[in-house]
Amino acid sequence: MENTLGLEIIEVVEQAAIASSKWMGKGEKNIADQVAVEAMRERMNKIYMRGRIVIGEGERDEAPMLYIGEEVGICTQTDAKNFCNPDELIEIDIAVDPCEGTNLVAYGQNGSMAVLAISEKGGLFAAPDFYMKKLAAPAPAKGLVDINKSATENLKILSECLNRPIADLVVVVMDRPRHTELIQEIRTAGARVRLISDGDVSAAISCAFEGTNIHALMGIGAAPEGVISAAALRCLGGHFQGQLIYDPEVVKTGLIGESKEGNLARMKEMGINDPDKVYNANELASGETVLFAACGITPGTLMEGVRFFNGGARTQSLVISNQSKTVRFVDTIHLFDEPKSLQLR
């Protein structure tokens, strides 16, 4: 899968990032998202595969976004039998967030990126569009920190695993009213808090890299982005746990579904029989082969944002594979017209 799709999925996130970045700072988050979706779909439909969106921009009735259940790739087209050999056919599940951090793009803030994760068919958890309680941490703490433990307990474990005093630890938390008590507990325990307005995929992945000065992600964010984060952290060997939040009273705002009972029924329809189950990275991204790709839209901890020059643009992408056990940072120059100059750095 990696040999066949590796370069092409880089181009998928690059095209989405370039399209969205043209709306950076214009205050139009919906347009920034829409153009990223369109660019991502267009590029995916040129790939020799049969892909199915399992994490996307909404249900089928939300088209023209990349909806859950949508099929993409050359081999999903009506005349596919004329040019697709079933014996060579790659069938994959895809989780996408064409513009992770739409507000960040709209207001010219750091940390937005185009992301996707892929695995063989059935290899990614088809999470409902709910919220998810998340815990991400570096590899030395894998299996030792636990989402069911208090923040105070987990900070003590992190301190021991990383051989750092708690005062040196930085925890990323979404800046939401639901996290008031969590933030206070982290501070009382002696650690530092980095509040973010959006974009917790980047924060989760940053935990796996030394030098980012991010040591954990805690709190409640969107469930679909949790699956994408889990795919990356599985490849990186980091710790990730997620637990679906189906009670609207817990998050107060934005949860699809008007009642706890209705959400429980929806989960059951999707085959989720244990609504309180805590999932680890291997369960959320269970495929034999898992690939993750991201491209910076605005500058972030891991990647530069899209930089335009006269005649083209420059992007930086991140590609992670559990198959080849590689992490690649890809610097690409895109030539739109006859360039007037090319800057090395």
Side-chain angles (χ1 to χ4, degrees):
M1 182 187 294
E2 180 184 0
N3 292 338
T4 305
L5 299 179
L7 178 59
E8 299 206 81
I9 67 166
I10 297 172
E11 293 182 356
V12 169
V13 291
E14 286 175 344
Q15 292 305 310
I18 291 170
S20 185
S21 67
K22 293 178 180 178
W23 289 88
M24 189 276 292
K26 294 186 177 181
E28 299 283 356
K29 69 171 188 175
N30 291 336
I31 298 178
D33 190 33
Q34 180 182 348
V35 296
V37 169
E38 292 170 352
M40 187 171 274
R41 175 189 282 119
E42 181 180 354
R43 184 61 185 87
M44 284 196 291
N45 279 329
K46 295 177 181 177
I47 301 176
Y48 189 86
M49 67 175 182
R50 178 180 290 277
R52 178 177 64 114
I53 304 296
V54 295
I55 297 289
E57 296 283 297
E59 305 291 352
R60 181 176 294 274
D61 58 5
E62 291 296 321
M65 309 308 270
L66 276 163
Y67 57 80
I68 297 170
E70 180 175 352
E71 292 190 334
V72 292
I74 289 176
C75 298
T76 65
Q77 298 175 20
T78 53
D79 57 346
K81 62 182 180 181
N82 296 329
F83 45 78
C84 284
N85 183 346
D87 296 330
E88 300 175 349
L89 188 61
I90 297 176
E91 292 192 77
I92 63 171
D93 282 355
I94 310 171
V96 302
D97 195 344
C99 182
E100 213 257 330
T102 54
N103 283 317
L104 301 177
V105 178
Y107 301 112
Q109 298 171 340
N110 288 357
S112 180
M113 57 186 186
V115 297
L116 65 77
I118 68 173
S119 186
E120 66 269 13
K121 188 175 181 180
L124 296 173
F125 179 68
D129 197 3
F130 289 177
Y131 280 86
M132 178 182 280
K133 184 179 178 182
K134 306 173 187 179
L135 175 61
K142 183 178 179 180
L144 299 173
V145 292
D146 191 280
I147 203 169
N148 289 319
K149 293 178 180 176
S150 68
T152 303
E153 290 175 292
N154 282 324
L155 286 169
K156 290 178 181 177
I157 295 168
L158 269 173
S159 174
E160 294 170 0
C161 292
L162 301 179
N163 194 28
R164 302 171 67 104
I166 291 178
D168 285 355
L169 299 178
V170 176
V171 182
V172 174
V173 182
M174 297 280 282
D175 189 5
R176 300 289 188 272
R178 61 178 175 264
H179 291 143
T180 300
E181 293 181 4
L182 172 63
I183 292 167
Q184 185 57 51
E185 182 181 355
I186 294 169
R187 288 171 173 166
T188 300
R192 293 173 290 163
V193 177
R194 180 179 295 181
L195 295 175
I196 59 172
S197 61
D198 297 278
D200 67 353
V201 174
S202 176
I205 300 169
S206 295
C207 295
F209 290 91
E210 291 188 21
T212 61
N213 200 35
I214 295 175
H215 307 106
L217 168 73
M218 297 182 184
I220 296 171
E225 283 79 356
V227 175
I228 296 174
S229 299
L233 282 165
R234 181 192 161 187
C235 296
L236 293 168
H239 179 94
F240 187 88
Q241 288 175 292
Q243 183 179 39
L244 293 171
I245 303 297
Y246 51 83
D247 187 350
E249 289 300 314
V250 175
V251 293
K252 308 294 184 186
T253 180
L255 186 68
I256 292 179
E258 297 181 357
S259 71
K260 177 180 176 180
E261 293 72 23
N263 289 331
L264 285 168
R266 185 176 173 211
M267 293 170 74
K268 192 170 184 179
E269 290 174 1
M270 297 180 69
I272 302 172
N273 296 316
D274 182 0
D276 297 312
K277 177 179 172 61
V278 174
Y279 298 89
N280 61 36
N282 284 9
E283 292 168 317
L284 294 171
S286 61
E288 182 178 344
T289 301
V290 177
L291 282 171
F292 169 90
C295 182
I297 300 175
T298 57
T301 303
L302 296 171
M303 294 167 288
E304 290 287 345
V306 178
R307 292 146 290 166
F308 290 97
F309 58 86
N310 191 356
R314 190 166 190 159
T315 59
Q316 188 173 40
S317 303
L318 169 65
V319 186
I320 310 169
S321 167
N322 78 324
Q323 185 177 20
S324 62
K325 300 187 184 303
T326 54
V327 178
R328 294 185 174 97
F329 287 89
V330 181
D331 194 11
T332 306
I333 292 176
H334 307 260
L335 301 178
F336 305 148
D337 303 308
E338 189 69 29
K340 302 297 186 293
S341 64
L342 291 177
Q343 188 172 339
L344 181 60
R345 293 182 177 84

